[in-house]
Amino acid sequence: MAEPVVNGREEYGPHFVQSVARVLAVIRTFDAERPVQTLGEVSRETGLDRATARRLLLTLADLGYVSSDGRTFELTPRVLDLGYSYLSSLALPELAQPHLRWLARELNETAALAVLEGNEIVYVALVPSTRLAAVKIDVGTRFDAYATSMGRVLLAGLPEAELEERLAYLHLERKTSRTVGDVDTLRAEIEKARAQGWALVDSEIEEGLRGAAAPVRDRAGRVVAAANVSVHAGRTTPELVERDYVPMILRTVRLIEADLVSSAAG
């Protein structure tokens, strides 16, 4: 359920515009599991009364972000403009793309770049491979960070106090039989990723999907993104991924970081 926005001014201060927060809350109720919703469902998920939810949905429809058949509502492709404005303002995906293309070509696998947003990773650059066609991943795709290789290295890059705060409130959901099941195990995996400088996750986000990732750091040494390669588990083993894939991912990360530093200096 989306977090109700009822006391924004008290929580955030006199600058807070509650109507903006409510519109965003309405948009965020739509996802892969609920692409089409009724007014009642949106009202329930946001905690807004039906009249308010209806006005917001109709306003979004007037602006072209929502469509309706009179009973149900769904987002339109125009919503992608909101995310594109953010992605197009980032230098990092553009800088990373040629290096990801090289990595994908050399390994004949899918290569990607993601950033951490809340407790999720968000794909911001991607070079897909037809060998991973069964898995639907696009720029803008989100996954729970705890169950992915990119998420592990991004979490490992957080200050210790922030990491512990996130872990204290994290809800772990088993997505496969191999998904990490408790916070202590997850913490150990994050510490391992931090110590070795990369992470390998095997069939935790989806059965048969294996991924390896390394962090991308800015000129100040802060982890700002993660690069990874995803492969079907049937084509390799964790040992081969570590031996053959991880060194190439680390090389790719170093090249991205070099371009990032040069871009900032320029």
Side-chain angles (χ1 to χ4, degrees):
M1 178 175 176
E3 183 178 351
V5 183
V6 293
N7 296 315
R9 188 174 295 272
E10 290 79 357
E11 181 176 354
Y12 297 106
H15 65 275
F16 190 82
V17 181
Q18 193 173 61
S19 57
V20 174
R22 287 174 169 175
V23 168
L24 294 175
V26 167
I27 291 175
R28 292 178 64 184
T29 63
F30 295 90
D31 56 25
E33 296 179 356
R34 297 171 303 196
V36 180
Q37 297 186 84
T38 64
L39 171 61
E41 289 169 333
V42 172
S43 173
R44 182 171 61 254
E45 288 297 318
T46 58
L48 300 170
D49 62 71
R50 290 174 63 92
T52 300
R54 181 176 181 276
R55 288 197 302 272
L56 295 176
L57 284 166
L58 292 179
T59 298
L60 287 168
D62 289 341
L63 296 173
Y65 293 106
V66 166
S67 64
S68 175
D69 62 5
R71 191 185 72 85
T72 61
F73 299 84
E74 61 183 310
L75 299 181
T76 72
R78 189 170 187 178
V79 170
L80 295 174
D81 292 344
L82 302 175
Y84 181 76
S85 298
Y86 166 71
L87 294 176
S88 63
S89 70
L90 293 178
L92 184 55
E94 183 178 351
L95 291 172
Q97 196 70 22
H99 301 299
L100 295 177
R101 282 198 294 269
W102 174 85
L103 182 62
R105 184 173 62 250
E106 290 296 310
L107 295 175
N108 195 21
E109 301 291 357
T110 295
L113 188 81
V115 297
L116 187 65
E117 184 174 301
N119 289 322
E120 297 177 315
I121 62 166
V122 182
Y123 282 72
V124 295
L126 178 72
V127 180
S129 165
T130 55
R131 300 176 75 180
L132 206 65
V135 182
K136 183 64 173 174
I137 303 175
D138 296 299
V139 171
T141 293
R142 294 169 175 265
F143 289 125
D144 288 321
Y146 66 84
T148 67
S149 60
M150 288 193 284
R152 298 271 173 90
V153 296
L154 287 167
L155 290 170
L158 294 175
E160 193 62 36
E162 182 177 350
L163 174 61
E164 288 302 320
E165 183 178 357
R166 291 188 184 217
L167 293 180
Y169 295 98
L170 186 62
H171 171 67
L172 298 180
E173 175 187 349
R174 282 197 176 273
K175 302 177 185 302
T176 74
S177 61
R178 306 187 68 165
T179 305
V180 62
D182 62 85
V183 171
D184 287 340
T185 302
L186 175 60
R187 184 184 289 107
E189 289 296 321
I190 292 171
E191 288 299 331
K192 180 180 178 181
R194 182 181 290 160
Q196 66 187 11
W198 55 273
L200 171 64
V201 170
D202 190 4
S203 299
E204 292 194 38
I205 193 70
E206 183 168 323
E207 202 68 56
L209 180 63
R210 183 174 292 145
V216 177
R217 300 177 184 273
D218 64 14
R219 62 189 305 175
R222 295 172 300 222
V223 175
V224 294
N228 101 315
V229 168
S230 299
V231 57
H232 278 301
R235 290 200 300 273
T236 185
T237 65
E239 292 75 20
L240 288 177
V241 171
E242 180 176 351
R243 187 192 74 185
D244 299 335
Y245 287 37
V246 170
M248 298 184 75
I249 296 170
L250 293 172
R251 178 182 185 275
T252 300
V253 163
R254 288 194 294 270
L255 293 171
I256 294 172
E257 290 174 341
D259 282 358
L260 191 59
V261 170
S262 298
S263 174

